[in-house]
Amino acid sequence: MAPLLTLLNFPCYIVHTILSYLRDGTFEESFQTSTSSGRGMKAGVAQGGLISPVLFSLYVNDMPSPLHHVELALYADDTAIIATSRKLTLLVSYLKSYLNDLQRWLSDCRIAINISKSTAIIFARAGRHFILLRPVTLFGKPI
């Protein structure tokens, strides 16, 4: 993130403050009158922090741009990848191509995802049947 902030001409003291916020982050949970002990954050930004939405936007700024027939929908920490085609083989090809780019980006940025929460859903017109010969995968696991 530091190179992006520098490229955007953020002053050094702001870059250092943001990096310190990200590196030294802690969190605690509260429920009614009880509060847990503080724990260190290994990644990400705290939800509810005043600067968190800005940091998240900067963090995903260099996320791979979708190409032909693929769109992204981002909301908070959820991402939907939408591929469209009248032909199943093309649809799967578009989706797999983007997932390969995304996987590379996630690895380069050391972003961990919960693959068990990742799902591929194919919508078809009523009455149309198809067989998906090979599953769509992310990090080698079917989704």
Side-chain angles (χ1 to χ4, degrees):
M1 181 181 302
L4 174 62
L5 295 175
T6 305
L7 181 69
L8 294 172
N9 294 321
F10 276 71
C12 270
Y13 69 92
I14 290 179
V15 173
H16 291 296
T17 301
I18 291 172
L19 291 176
S20 173
Y21 175 80
L22 293 173
R23 284 190 189 120
D24 303 327
T26 60
F27 71 94
E28 56 186 33
E29 293 294 322
S30 298
F31 180 71
Q32 294 178 349
T33 59
S34 299
T35 302
S36 71
S37 60
R39 307 266 192 228
M41 290 176 36
K42 295 182 180 181
V45 296
Q47 286 183 307
L50 293 176
I51 197 170
S52 296
V54 173
L55 292 176
F56 180 77
S57 294
L58 291 170
Y59 201 63
V60 299
N61 183 58
D62 62 348
M63 191 173 189
S65 297
L67 300 174
H68 193 61
H69 293 282
V70 177
E71 293 182 40
L72 288 181
L74 299 169
Y75 180 76
D77 62 349
D78 292 325
T79 303
I81 302 163
I82 304 158
T84 58
S85 179
R86 293 183 184 270
K87 296 186 178 193
L88 179 64
T89 53
L90 288 176
L91 179 128
V92 171
S93 170
Y94 299 147
L95 183 58
K96 285 183 176 185
S97 176
Y98 185 75
L99 287 174
N100 286 336
D101 293 343
L102 181 64
Q103 182 175 302
R104 206 170 9 263
W105 179 78
L106 290 168
S107 295
D108 291 347
C109 293
R110 292 179 281 157
I111 298 173
I113 63 166
N114 187 342
I115 295 176
S116 67
K117 291 185 176 183
S118 300
T119 306
I121 302 170
I122 298 176
F123 294 95
R125 287 198 173 130
R128 294 190 67 189
H129 300 283
F130 56 86
I131 298 171
L132 190 57
L133 299 176
R134 285 186 266 157
V136 176
T137 61
L138 188 59
F139 293 105
K141 298 190 180 191
I143 58 173

